[in-house]
Amino acid sequence: MSETIDPARPADPAPLPDAAVPEAKGTAPKRKRVVIVGAGFGGISAARVLEKSDLEVIVVDRTNHHLFQPLLYQVATAMLAPTDIAQPIRSVLDCTHHANLSVLLDSVEAVDKTSKAVVLGSGMRLAYDYLVLAPGSRYNYFGNDAEWAPHAPGLKTMDDAIMLRRRILMAFERAELSRDPEERRRLLTFVVIGGGPTGVEMAGAMAELAKATLARDFRHIDPKSTRIVLVEAVDELLGQFTDRQSAYTKETLEKMGVEVMLNAPVKGVESHRVMAGETAIEAETIIWCAGVSASPLVGQIGAETAKGGQVKVSRDFSVPGSPEIFVIGDAAAYEEDGRPLPALAPVAKQQGKHVGRLIAAREGQGRDPGQFHYRDWGTMATIGRAAAVGKFGKVTVKGFPAWLLWGGVHVAYLVGFRNRIMVIVNWLWAWLTYAKGARLITGADREAPERLPTKG
Amino acid sequence: MSETIDPARPADPAPLPDAAVPEAKGTAPKRKRVVIVGAGFGGISAARVLEKSDLEVIVVDRTNHHLFQPLLYQVATAMLAPTDIAQPIRSVLDCTHHANLSVLLDSVEAVDKTSKAVVLGSGMRLAYDYLVLAPGSRYNYFGNDAEWAPHAPGLKTMDDAIMLRRRILMAFERAELSRDPEERRRLLTFVVIGGGPTGVEMAGAMAELAKATLARDFRHIDPKSTRIVLVEAVDELLGQFTDRQSAYTKETLEKMGVEVMLNAPVKGVESHRVMAGETAIEAETIIWCAGVSASPLVGQIGAETAKGGQVKVSRDFSVPGSPEIFVIGDAAAYEEDGRPLPALAPVAKQQGKHVGRLIAAREGQGRDPGQFHYRDWGTMATIGRAAAVGKFGKVTVKGFPAWLLWGGVHVAYLVGFRNRIMVIVNWLWAWLTYAKGARLITGADREAPERLPTKG
């Protein structure tokens, strides 16, 4: 049976060992509690505002770290180490100085709007006065999740990235051991599905890994002959950029040795095989960077949702009919000027900050932030070594300056001084030597056999 | 069926894509082949000598990386990132410039002395003219491997370290969620078995993690109350150091909050329970840093072995009766001045270099290195922040100077400039802030349930 716990005032008789929670002493009046689900860009921003208030803040996440998702593809391609882009939530938030803040490593299974509580994976119920849902998104296989997902993993969590890194590096190792030319070809074919920023970045990074880093490391295969195919359903890459930028992106990727297939909607994914338009491609490794949908958690709260499962929130990000529940980030459908805001880190950050201020203001702890307006600083995507595109309103940049800007912005956005140093050292190192610092295979893959079948 | 492969001259008709293997063209006479099993300190040293010769060199390892084992405990305790102390074997060796060198990621299942071939995990047979076995050691549970090992993992591979890091960090997270005081106490008890350098270093690092890094990050537990018990069978820690140093080590650990139990041979290990002497300790996490034995691979070659399974090698490290097979490093029993050389990195390195030279000399590629003599530069062990001991012949050091020296030596021994930078940044960072840069929980633990049983 589940039961309601109240972390600040535990029901069990064990003495709380620290004095960090003043209410535990039973003197102060009950403070209102804000539960924040998800420690991504949105959740962290909200918590950073609220940790300075007098409200009780509880952040729940199923991992122990805040992840800098925009660089996750660099972990998958062995450029960065996992720890370079992950930071413990307890460190990102200032647990040391804010006794009103606590962090729980747990999943959220359900939201009980009637009794105002969330049900955690451990079976506990956590009561809330305000609830901020920032659970993010996950990949969406156009209704074929069960069939396609096992063969074409996406890239959302650190475990995804480490698994993909292992699969990519193992494909080369297995090809080196293989004596069957057909198997070798299949092992050295990588298909990236989706021509948005993630797909473009992934394909470019794969090309660099295969054609520069690993170029001379093997004896029986030539990594330079690796086939990298980027598959896109419509007629251009990076649809959100200008036509010229899209064309430049395609051209740059092709120069790097990536095959770009446009107008090739994916019609099927099986084990080691993709149907891209009418073309079948045999590939050991298939990477899904296409559609996303909101975390299924928000589907439970009984609100109207957009096509991708995002909750159609009110103008203040609350759920219609539940003014104490807010949905922000990738899981929210919020329109400005008639267009939904994109699922990007800056959108989630700004929304989190706004909702944090709003809640504080409602409890008399600060000024009302007024109506939310997204400050669009622009969008960028990197293609490869010294190549990127950026669009800032009507200003567009591409090539080396865009790439430098891209690097600077990403380092600046990273959480933590140490992580910034690490990323800069890794990037400089890779720039100078073409080496990748994180070519580490760890863990065993339960899904894919890593051993070759014995032949002959 | 297994079959003999000859990587330089594949039997299959697929064209070899590169020109890196001249013999593949079928013109040059067959070169002699050296197979090196294991890319630890010994195997890498041997390969580094031989890659410069004209012999064909094939290195086989079951992982893709050379691991700097002396700092593995710092990965387990979230100080360093896995990639900081692991380097791809293909990069450590200079595959780019030495076409006679190849690396295979595979396990070695058996040695067939009669036909001079090793049998790989993939089923292939690899013929050799010379065989260098450097497979290292593994933990030995005094004959109780099957019963004890699952409950008290050791620390030999990167996967071990990442698993242990997850278990250690999860213990605090689970304690924070737990409402049962007894369960909380068990979760916050860590037992380290073995008072040698690894056990001392592990216990010291655990104390720093719990009592400094995590000190104020939680609300319902006080990490400072974490119980860390170091269990040793005999009457002192670090038996290979002087009595004064052993006493200093014990005292320093105790000041750091570690309970040191001497004269407490382990009599049993069960799930979450250790019998240390006559005392039973309930602990969620038990870490084995006690006896080691040679890799079971060398047990197959039919040579006489020492108590720990190490092959009693001849004065040139060859296996008696098989002058073309050499065993080096932790898997070899080699005596000098009537005492076996210890299982240390410098021993393995010097032996690898020696055997590499010996093989080259036998093939007329360099001078005979003469008789091997171990150059003992001394031994060091770190205890914690600014505390270490070192013994260099009759000279002993302890405290802060020893700790600085320890750090310098370890950074110097690390392979790769980038890794040195990373380790220095991480150490400086931890020194300044007490933070640990690698507090990342990844992967799911198939052995231990990470979810709390629902109570109440």
Side-chain angles (χ1 to χ4, degrees):
Chain A
M1 298 292 284
S2 64
E3 56 177 323
T4 304
I5 69 148
D6 195 337
R9 288 158 294 263
D12 66 333
L16 273 183
D18 61 347
V21 187
E23 312 74 21
K25 291 174 184 156
T27 51
K30 190 179 184 307
R31 292 198 291 204
K32 291 226 174 144
R33 181 190 286 166
V34 186
V35 172
I36 299 174
V37 177
F41 291 106
I44 289 288
S45 294
R48 279 190 165 164
V49 172
L50 290 165
E51 71 182 3
K52 296 183 196 97
S53 75
D54 271 349
L55 298 169
E56 185 186 354
V57 181
I58 302 180
V59 177
V60 185
D61 196 288
R62 62 171 80 222
T63 74
N64 80 326
H65 51 274
H66 168 68
L67 181 63
F68 193 73
Q69 271 185 356
L71 291 177
L72 204 52
Y73 78 96
Q74 295 207 353
V75 171
T77 50
M79 169 74 97
L80 296 178
T83 46
D84 294 343
I85 62 161
Q87 186 80 318
I89 298 166
R90 294 179 199 282
S91 306
V92 176
L93 299 175
D94 190 357
C95 279
T96 305
H97 297 103
H98 298 291
N100 59 320
L101 174 71
S102 56
V103 177
L104 297 180
L105 193 160
D106 211 331
S107 60
V108 173
E109 303 297 326
V111 176
D112 180 348
K113 288 198 317 190
T114 321
S115 68
K116 293 194 182 177
V118 292
V119 181
L120 304 184
S122 58
M124 295 187 295
R125 289 170 72 90
L126 193 59
Y128 64 80
D129 297 299
Y130 292 99
L131 177 64
V132 179
L133 294 174
S137 55
R138 57 175 200 174
Y139 282 102
N140 157 348
Y141 294 79
F142 314 138
N144 303 289
D145 293 34
E147 300 83 45
W148 296 7
H151 310 302
L155 200 54
K156 277 285 170 195
T157 67
M158 188 58 90
D159 283 323
D160 291 343
I162 293 173
M163 186 261 281
L164 205 50
R165 180 178 73 182
R166 177 172 64 235
R167 286 200 186 175
I168 290 170
L169 296 175
M170 277 306 291
F172 291 96
E173 298 289 346
R174 291 171 59 199
E176 174 82 346
L177 283 170
S178 173
R179 301 175 56 235
D180 173 349
E182 207 168 299
E183 181 181 48
R184 224 187 257 166
R185 240 184 322 268
R186 195 193 71 219
L187 284 161
L188 294 183
T189 303
F190 297 83
V191 176
V192 179
I193 298 172
T198 310
V200 165
E201 289 171 341
M202 189 72 210
M206 272 301 311
E208 249 183 67
L209 178 70
K211 290 162 200 272
T213 308
L214 301 180
R216 297 204 56 182
D217 272 8
F218 294 83
R219 290 293 163 265
H220 312 297
I221 57 168
D222 179 4
K224 282 185 226 155
S225 71
T226 301
R227 194 175 165 209
I228 297 149
V229 188
L230 178 60
V231 175
E232 168 55 44
V234 301
D235 64 356
E236 61 173 7
L237 300 175
L238 301 183
Q240 66 271 58
F241 289 83
T242 66
D243 289 353
R244 262 185 72 191
Q245 288 181 314
S246 296
Y248 165 79
T249 301
K250 178 164 181 284
E251 200 180 293
T252 309
L253 282 175
E254 283 170 347
K255 266 189 215 147
M256 293 167 73
V258 175
E259 287 175 46
V260 180
M261 285 178 73
L262 300 178
N263 300 308
V266 170
K267 296 190 175 161
V269 180
E270 300 160 46
S271 172
H272 309 322
R273 196 186 160 93
V274 182
M275 276 304 295
E278 302 308 315
T279 314
I281 312 169
E282 304 277 326
E284 181 73 11
T285 313
I286 304 165
I287 304 161
W288 190 267
C289 304
V292 293
S293 58
S295 159
L297 177 67
V298 299
Q300 298 185 2
I301 55 175
E304 201 189 336
T305 55
K307 214 176 53 183
Q310 299 88 351
V311 172
K312 292 192 172 172
V313 292
S314 310
R315 299 310 294 161
D316 66 348
F317 299 97
S318 69
V319 173
S322 304
E324 74 286 0
I325 305 182
F326 301 86
V327 183
I328 56 173
D330 292 6
Y334 183 91
E335 294 195 351
E336 261 187 23
D337 309 325
R339 274 183 309 186
L341 291 182
L344 291 174
V347 172
K349 278 184 94 152
Q350 293 177 30
Q351 292 177 349
K353 194 169 172 188
H354 178 84
V355 164
R357 285 181 178 171
L358 201 72
I359 293 171
R362 287 202 191 156
E363 293 301 316
Q365 312 223 0
R367 240 164 17 107
D368 190 283
Q371 177 53 42
F372 176 80
H373 286 295
Y374 174 51
R375 275 199 89 156
D376 185 358
W377 296 100
T379 324
M380 309 185 80
T382 183
I383 307 165
R385 205 175 164 79
V389 289
K391 193 176 163 222
F392 312 97
K394 300 206 166 171
V395 180
T396 62
V397 283
K398 65 180 170 62
F400 186 67
W403 184 74
L404 275 185
L405 194 61
W406 175 89
V409 166
H410 280 74
V411 167
Y413 259 76
L414 266 176
V415 170
F417 177 75
R418 184 194 147 279
N419 286 5
R420 289 186 194 133
I421 301 274
M422 292 296 178
V423 168
I424 290 171
V425 171
N426 272 314
W427 283 354
L428 271 181
W429 188 246
W431 169 258
L432 293 171
T433 65
Y434 283 94
K436 307 271 186 220
R439 267 167 64 193
L440 174 64
I441 299 176
T442 55
D445 204 334
R446 266 88 182 170
E447 296 149 69
E450 280 183 358
R451 288 278 151 234
L452 295 172
T454 306
K455 299 230 170 185
Chain B
M1 297 291 284
S2 64
E3 56 177 323
T4 303
I5 69 148
D6 195 337
R9 287 159 295 263
D12 66 333
L16 272 183
D18 60 348
V21 188
E23 310 76 22
K25 293 176 182 153
T27 51
K30 190 180 183 310
R31 292 198 290 204
K32 290 223 175 152
R33 180 188 288 165
V34 185
V35 171
I36 298 174
V37 178
F41 292 105
I44 289 288
S45 293
R48 278 190 165 165
V49 172
L50 290 166
E51 69 182 3
K52 296 184 195 94
S53 76
D54 271 350
L55 298 169
E56 185 187 353
V57 181
I58 301 179
V59 177
V60 185
D61 196 287
R62 62 172 79 220
T63 75
N64 80 326
H65 51 273
H66 168 68
L67 181 63
F68 193 75
Q69 270 184 357
L71 291 177
L72 204 52
Y73 78 96
Q74 294 207 353
V75 171
T77 52
M79 169 74 97
L80 296 177
T83 46
D84 295 343
I85 61 162
Q87 187 80 317
I89 297 165
R90 295 179 198 280
S91 306
V92 175
L93 299 174
D94 190 356
C95 279
T96 305
H97 297 103
H98 297 291
N100 60 321
L101 173 70
S102 56
V103 178
L104 297 180
L105 192 161
D106 212 331
S107 60
V108 174
E109 303 297 325
V111 176
D112 179 348
K113 288 198 318 193
T114 320
S115 67
K116 295 194 181 175
V118 291
V119 181
L120 304 185
S122 58
M124 295 187 295
R125 289 170 72 89
L126 193 59
Y128 64 80
D129 297 299
Y130 292 99
L131 177 64
V132 179
L133 294 174
S137 57
R138 56 174 197 176
Y139 281 102
N140 155 348
Y141 294 80
F142 314 138
N144 304 288
D145 292 34
E147 300 84 46
W148 296 7
H151 310 301
L155 199 54
K156 277 284 170 198
T157 68
M158 188 57 88
D159 283 323
D160 291 344
I162 293 173
M163 186 262 281
L164 206 49
R165 180 179 73 182
R166 179 173 61 237
R167 287 199 185 175
I168 290 169
L169 295 176
M170 277 305 292
F172 291 96
E173 298 289 346
R174 290 170 61 198
E176 174 82 346
L177 283 170
S178 173
R179 302 174 56 235
D180 173 350
E182 207 169 296
E183 182 181 47
R184 226 187 255 166
R185 244 187 317 272
R186 195 193 71 218
L187 285 162
L188 295 182
T189 304
F190 297 83
V191 176
V192 178
I193 299 172
T198 309
V200 164
E201 287 171 341
M202 189 72 210
M206 271 301 310
E208 249 183 65
L209 178 69
K211 289 161 200 273
T213 306
L214 301 180
R216 297 205 53 184
D217 272 9
F218 294 84
R219 290 292 165 266
H220 312 298
I221 57 168
D222 180 4
K224 282 186 225 154
S225 72
T226 301
R227 192 173 168 212
I228 298 149
V229 188
L230 178 60
V231 174
E232 168 56 45
V234 302
D235 64 356
E236 61 172 6
L237 300 175
L238 300 181
Q240 66 270 59
F241 289 82
T242 65
D243 288 354
R244 261 186 71 193
Q245 288 181 312
S246 296
Y248 165 79
T249 301
K250 178 164 182 284
E251 201 180 293
T252 308
L253 282 174
E254 283 170 347
K255 266 189 215 147
M256 292 168 71
V258 175
E259 287 176 45
V260 179
M261 285 179 73
L262 299 177
N263 299 308
V266 169
K267 296 189 173 160
V269 180
E270 300 160 45
S271 172
H272 309 322
R273 197 186 158 94
V274 182
M275 277 304 296
E278 303 308 315
T279 314
I281 311 170
E282 304 277 327
E284 181 73 12
T285 312
I286 305 165
I287 304 160
W288 190 267
C289 304
V292 293
S293 58
S295 159
L297 178 68
V298 300
Q300 298 185 3
I301 56 176
E304 199 188 339
T305 55
K307 214 177 53 181
Q310 299 88 349
V311 172
K312 291 192 171 171
V313 292
S314 311
R315 298 311 294 160
D316 65 351
F317 300 97
S318 69
V319 172
S322 305
E324 74 286 0
I325 305 181
F326 300 87
V327 183
I328 56 174
D330 292 6
Y334 184 91
E335 294 195 352
E336 262 187 22
D337 310 325
R339 273 183 309 186
L341 291 182
L344 290 175
V347 172
K349 277 184 94 151
Q350 292 177 30
Q351 292 177 349
K353 192 170 174 185
H354 179 85
V355 164
R357 285 181 177 172
L358 201 73
I359 292 171
R362 288 203 191 156
E363 293 300 316
Q365 313 225 359
R367 244 168 10 115
D368 190 285
Q371 178 54 42
F372 176 80
H373 287 295
Y374 174 52
R375 276 199 90 154
D376 186 358
W377 295 101
T379 323
M380 308 185 81
T382 183
I383 307 165
R385 204 174 164 80
V389 290
K391 192 175 165 224
F392 311 97
K394 298 203 171 176
V395 180
T396 62
V397 283
K398 66 179 170 63
F400 186 68
W403 184 75
L404 274 185
L405 194 61
W406 175 91
V409 166
H410 280 74
V411 167
Y413 259 77
L414 263 177
V415 170
F417 176 74
R418 184 194 147 279
N419 286 6
R420 288 185 195 134
I421 300 276
M422 291 297 177
V423 168
I424 290 171
V425 171
N426 272 315
W427 284 353
L428 272 180
W429 189 245
W431 169 258
L432 292 170
T433 66
Y434 281 95
K436 307 268 187 222
R439 268 167 65 192
L440 175 64
I441 300 177
T442 56
D445 205 333
R446 266 89 184 167
E447 296 149 68
E450 281 183 359
R451 288 279 150 232
L452 296 171
T454 306
K455 300 229 170 183

